[in-house]
PDB file of all heavy atoms in Angstrom:
ATOM      1  N   SER A 249       0.822  -0.554 -16.663  1.00 88.00           N
ATOM      2  CA  SER A 249       0.193   0.737 -16.690  1.00 88.00           C
ATOM      3  C   SER A 249       0.414   1.485 -15.430  1.00 88.00           C
ATOM      4  O   SER A 249       0.605   2.677 -15.316  1.00 88.00           O
ATOM      5  CB  SER A 249      -1.301   0.614 -16.997  1.00 88.00           C
ATOM      6  OG  SER A 249      -2.024   0.137 -15.919  1.00 88.00           O
ATOM      7  N   ILE A 250       0.374   0.766 -14.277  1.00 85.00           N
ATOM      8  CA  ILE A 250       0.629   1.448 -12.998  1.00 85.00           C
ATOM      9  C   ILE A 250       2.001   2.017 -12.961  1.00 85.00           C
ATOM     10  O   ILE A 250       2.247   3.158 -12.638  1.00 85.00           O
ATOM     11  CB  ILE A 250       0.449   0.450 -11.812  1.00 85.00           C
ATOM     12  CG1 ILE A 250      -0.989   0.059 -11.598  1.00 85.00           C
ATOM     13  CG2 ILE A 250       1.058   1.023 -10.470  1.00 85.00           C
ATOM     14  CD1 ILE A 250      -1.188  -1.026 -10.498  1.00 85.00           C
ATOM     15  N   LEU A 251       3.030   1.217 -13.358  1.00 87.00           N
ATOM     16  CA  LEU A 251       4.402   1.687 -13.365  1.00 87.00           C
ATOM     17  C   LEU A 251       4.593   2.810 -14.352  1.00 87.00           C
ATOM     18  O   LEU A 251       5.351   3.737 -14.035  1.00 87.00           O
ATOM     19  CB  LEU A 251       5.290   0.516 -13.653  1.00 87.00           C
ATOM     20  CG  LEU A 251       5.366  -0.569 -12.544  1.00 87.00           C
ATOM     21  CD1 LEU A 251       6.099  -1.756 -13.017  1.00 87.00           C
ATOM     22  CD2 LEU A 251       5.942   0.019 -11.240  1.00 87.00           C
ATOM     23  N   GLU A 252       3.930   2.724 -15.479  1.00 87.00           N
ATOM     24  CA  GLU A 252       4.012   3.802 -16.444  1.00 87.00           C
ATOM     25  C   GLU A 252       3.432   5.077 -15.976  1.00 87.00           C
ATOM     26  O   GLU A 252       3.982   6.212 -16.104  1.00 87.00           O
ATOM     27  CB  GLU A 252       3.358   3.430 -17.808  1.00 87.00           C
ATOM     28  CG  GLU A 252       3.485   4.399 -18.906  1.00 87.00           C
ATOM     29  CD  GLU A 252       4.879   4.663 -19.345  1.00 87.00           C
ATOM     30  OE1 GLU A 252       5.826   3.866 -19.079  1.00 87.00           O
ATOM     31  OE2 GLU A 252       5.109   5.759 -19.947  1.00 87.00           O
ATOM     32  N   ARG A 253       2.265   5.050 -15.325  1.00 80.00           N
ATOM     33  CA  ARG A 253       1.703   6.248 -14.663  1.00 80.00           C
ATOM     34  C   ARG A 253       2.527   6.814 -13.578  1.00 80.00           C
ATOM     35  O   ARG A 253       2.666   8.037 -13.429  1.00 80.00           O
ATOM     36  CB  ARG A 253       0.286   5.932 -14.110  1.00 80.00           C
ATOM     37  CG  ARG A 253      -0.773   5.745 -15.222  1.00 80.00           C
ATOM     38  CD  ARG A 253      -2.141   5.678 -14.689  1.00 80.00           C
ATOM     39  NE  ARG A 253      -2.293   4.309 -14.194  1.00 80.00           N
ATOM     40  CZ  ARG A 253      -3.347   3.834 -13.521  1.00 80.00           C
ATOM     41  NH1 ARG A 253      -4.349   4.706 -13.163  1.00 80.00           N
ATOM     42  NH2 ARG A 253      -3.463   2.598 -13.191  1.00 80.00           N
ATOM     43  N   LEU A 254       3.233   5.891 -12.840  1.00 80.00           N
ATOM     44  CA  LEU A 254       4.167   6.443 -11.819  1.00 80.00           C
ATOM     45  C   LEU A 254       5.342   7.147 -12.461  1.00 80.00           C
ATOM     46  O   LEU A 254       5.721   8.190 -12.013  1.00 80.00           O
ATOM     47  CB  LEU A 254       4.627   5.232 -11.004  1.00 80.00           C
ATOM     48  CG  LEU A 254       5.580   5.507  -9.892  1.00 80.00           C
ATOM     49  CD1 LEU A 254       5.034   6.530  -8.851  1.00 80.00           C
ATOM     50  CD2 LEU A 254       5.971   4.235  -9.181  1.00 80.00           C
ATOM     51  N   ARG A 255       5.846   6.554 -13.531  1.00 81.00           N
ATOM     52  CA  ARG A 255       7.001   7.199 -14.191  1.00 81.00           C
ATOM     53  C   ARG A 255       6.624   8.564 -14.826  1.00 81.00           C
ATOM     54  O   ARG A 255       7.349   9.474 -14.596  1.00 81.00           O
ATOM     55  CB  ARG A 255       7.502   6.291 -15.352  1.00 81.00           C
ATOM     56  CG  ARG A 255       8.700   6.726 -16.029  1.00 81.00           C
ATOM     57  CD  ARG A 255       9.159   5.746 -17.168  1.00 81.00           C
ATOM     58  NE  ARG A 255       8.226   5.946 -18.305  1.00 81.00           N
ATOM     59  CZ  ARG A 255       8.348   6.942 -19.237  1.00 81.00           C
ATOM     60  NH1 ARG A 255       9.258   7.856 -19.115  1.00 81.00           N
ATOM     61  NH2 ARG A 255       7.539   7.005 -20.234  1.00 81.00           N
ATOM     62  N   ILE A 256       5.476   8.651 -15.406  1.00 80.00           N
ATOM     63  CA  ILE A 256       4.995   9.904 -16.020  1.00 80.00           C
ATOM     64  C   ILE A 256       4.781  10.910 -14.941  1.00 80.00           C
ATOM     65  O   ILE A 256       5.198  12.130 -15.077  1.00 80.00           O
ATOM     66  CB  ILE A 256       3.742   9.701 -16.788  1.00 80.00           C
ATOM     67  CG1 ILE A 256       4.039   8.906 -18.098  1.00 80.00           C
ATOM     68  CG2 ILE A 256       3.051  10.997 -17.218  1.00 80.00           C
ATOM     69  CD1 ILE A 256       2.814   8.370 -18.859  1.00 80.00           C
ATOM     70  N   ALA A 257       4.256  10.523 -13.807  1.00 74.00           N
ATOM     71  CA  ALA A 257       4.043  11.417 -12.682  1.00 74.00           C
ATOM     72  C   ALA A 257       5.319  11.979 -12.150  1.00 74.00           C
ATOM     73  O   ALA A 257       5.478  13.194 -11.861  1.00 74.00           O
ATOM     74  CB  ALA A 257       3.274  10.760 -11.582  1.00 74.00           C
ATOM     75  N   LYS A 258       6.308  11.118 -12.057  1.00 74.00           N
ATOM     76  CA  LYS A 258       7.595  11.509 -11.539  1.00 74.00           C
ATOM     77  C   LYS A 258       8.344  12.505 -12.532  1.00 74.00           C
ATOM     78  O   LYS A 258       8.912  13.498 -12.099  1.00 74.00           O
ATOM     79  CB  LYS A 258       8.562  10.308 -11.295  1.00 74.00           C
ATOM     80  CG  LYS A 258       8.251   9.549 -10.085  1.00 74.00           C
ATOM     81  CD  LYS A 258       8.526  10.309  -8.894  1.00 74.00           C
ATOM     82  CE  LYS A 258       8.753   9.384  -7.705  1.00 74.00           C
ATOM     83  NZ  LYS A 258       9.283  10.105  -6.639  1.00 74.00           N
ATOM     84  N   LEU A 259       8.212  12.188 -13.816  1.00 76.00           N
ATOM     85  CA  LEU A 259       8.872  13.014 -14.838  1.00 76.00           C
ATOM     86  C   LEU A 259       8.174  14.393 -15.009  1.00 76.00           C
ATOM     87  O   LEU A 259       8.858  15.360 -15.274  1.00 76.00           O
ATOM     88  CB  LEU A 259       8.935  12.355 -16.191  1.00 76.00           C
ATOM     89  CG  LEU A 259       9.856  11.121 -16.268  1.00 76.00           C
ATOM     90  CD1 LEU A 259       9.662  10.414 -17.640  1.00 76.00           C
ATOM     91  CD2 LEU A 259      11.312  11.486 -16.049  1.00 76.00           C
ATOM     92  N   SER A 260       6.892  14.395 -14.960  1.00 76.00           N
ATOM     93  CA  SER A 260       6.152  15.610 -15.273  1.00 76.00           C
ATOM     94  C   SER A 260       5.841  16.466 -14.047  1.00 76.00           C
ATOM     95  O   SER A 260       5.365  17.578 -14.199  1.00 76.00           O
ATOM     96  CB  SER A 260       4.864  15.290 -16.011  1.00 76.00           C
ATOM     97  OG  SER A 260       4.006  14.538 -15.168  1.00 76.00           O
ATOM     98  N   GLY A 261       5.880  15.880 -12.865  1.00 66.00           N
ATOM     99  CA  GLY A 261       5.564  16.592 -11.678  1.00 66.00           C
ATOM    100  C   GLY A 261       4.045  16.588 -11.359  1.00 66.00           C
ATOM    101  O   GLY A 261       3.606  17.350 -10.476  1.00 66.00           O
TER     102      GLY A 261
END
Side-chain angles (χ1 to χ4, degrees):
S249 74
I250 289 175
L251 293 171
E252 183 63 20
R253 286 188 280 173
L254 179 60
R255 187 182 73 79
I256 290 169
K258 286 291 207 172
L259 291 174
S260 65

